[in-house]
Amino acid sequence: MGPLISCDDLLVTTSPQPPIEPTDPTGHSGHAHPGSGHPAGHSHGHSHGHGHGPAAPVSKHLRKVIAAVLIPFAAAVFVGMAVLWPGGAPAHERTGVGFDRQTQQGTVVSLEQVDCKSVNASQVPPTGDTSTPEGREAQAAQTGECKKATVEVGTGPDKGRTFVEIVQPGAPRQLAKGQGVVVAYAPDAPRDLQYSVIDVNRKFPLALLALIFAVAVVLVGRMRGLFALIALIISFGVLTLFILPAILQGSNPLVVAVIGASAIMLIALYICHGLTARTSVAVLGTLVSLLLIGLLGSVFIDWAFLSGNTDDNTGLIHGLYPGIDMSGLLLAGIIIGSLGVLDDVTVTQTSAVWELHQADPSMGSRALYRAAIRIGRDHIASVVNTLVLAYAGAALPLLLLFSIANSSMGSVANSELVAVEIVRTLVGSIGLVASVPVTTALAALVVSADRPGTPVAGPASEPARGGRGRRRKR
């Protein structure tokens, strides 16, 4: 079996190598010898058999130590997945509320302008007071121009059946002829009211955007980009086939999230970065940080009395599956949400330590740590800012509502809707900040733990590469 090729080996750039001095045809490098009377670069009649270039920074013994830690951990993760494997989401009767509705695909086959009053678009008579949103909507529904859309059901047992949908002028979702739509089916309703349009069909633009993303990743990242896409697909597979169904089956959300996130971490990091000591150190750093996030999240979710049931969707989940621990589900979301950024931080810090050691093999663990932590501080500043802005952007409509209500910052932060996001952001950020010194210290200790011995001599007749040899596998 040949050597495993990691993603690092597929990089175009080469790592810095000690320069190799010019050689003459006899194979002797141009060293100056004290007392010889010859300047540096002058050839002698004999040759040196010493090879040039640093040896591998991690010995077989140290790799065995890392394997002794990670192999039992990986075995425990996959045994846990086998024990908790759900075998699919449990069945339940449709409630017809929110996302829990029977849906089919449809197409708008015709569209015509009609008077809203003639189709009785609004059952609320105009109040005459147009200063309120309700009054304006009622007035428009009685006097404006509506659209009468004829929609054909394209899937399901009633394929080919048509129904009429009235679109009011102020509706946020307007329809066009030929547009694909998602229709809800209510079997218990009267026949004329069984179908209604609930959304538009966005599958093609979303699929096209995903294809553009995949092509861009492969074109720029090449083989490493391809491995990243494979890891992404596997991560979604673990999420949809294991984590979500296991939680719905009644397993503890925290235990499921820890096992699932650990499986994603192991698979994604080793696929993207190779089965190397460098990747193993990044895995250990990520694991320690995830444990810290889980501990802090558990403490502050309980202390702040966060129920996790904050909106219609979580309320529907709790109604359908009352056995699910919603606060545990919140903590599981924090752990899974932090994993992606943690991978980036730990891999970057580990790579920084390895490259610093390769540039100067004489650096000890303390010097390596001090040099790499300066890189980590810059990384911390950018990553924490990114995380906070990502959560703020996701909660922007909610923040706008509080701004419209002229609520103070204290009352906004105290509401559970915002408190959940604050705990999510700060706990995740603390884990990210802690991952930098933890991973840097582990990498510095591992890379400087043992000194490589004298490398095997290479052929004396091998031509010099001018300081740019092949990239070493690590």
Side-chain angles (χ1 to χ4, degrees), residues 387-403 412 417-422 424-425:
L387 194 64
V388 171
L389 290 179
Y391 284 128
L396 196 57
L398 176 64
L399 297 178
L400 281 175
L401 288 177
F402 281 109
S403 178
V412 169
L417 278 171
V418 177
V420 164
E421 299 303 326
I422 291 175
R424 193 195 311 271
T425 302

Side-chain angles (χ1 to χ4, degrees), residues 94-106 153-159 161 163 165 181-199:
R94 296 280 187 177
T95 63
V97 178
F99 290 104
D100 193 39
R101 288 181 281 188
Q102 297 184 42
T103 59
Q104 302 293 345
Q105 301 300 315
V153 180
T155 58
D158 292 330
K159 182 178 179 181
R161 177 177 166 183
F163 66 95
E165 182 84 9
V181 293
V182 179
V183 298
Y185 175 56
D188 297 331
R191 179 174 174 81
D192 293 341
L193 302 177
Q194 285 182 335
Y195 284 97
S196 60
V197 176
I198 59 171
D199 210 341

Side-chain angles (χ1 to χ4, degrees), residues 284-326:
L284 289 174
T286 306
L287 176 62
V288 172
S289 302
L290 281 178
L291 292 176
L292 176 62
I293 289 172
L295 178 62
L296 285 175
S298 179
V299 169
F300 282 94
I301 286 174
D302 290 341
W303 198 1
F305 297 99
L306 299 178
S307 66
N309 191 356
T310 55
D311 55 25
D312 293 340
N313 293 326
T314 54
L316 180 59
I317 292 171
H318 184 63
L320 293 174
Y321 301 96
I324 293 179
D325 179 9
M326 299 304 294

Side-chain angles (χ1 to χ4, degrees), residues 11-20 52-54 358 462-474:
L11 290 173
V12 177
T13 57
T14 58
S15 301
Q17 303 282 350
I20 300 175
H52 294 273
Q358 189 172 351
E462 183 179 353
R465 297 181 182 271
R468 296 182 63 86
R470 290 178 60 192
R471 186 174 179 86
R472 296 182 299 106
K473 293 180 175 60
R474 298 186 285 283

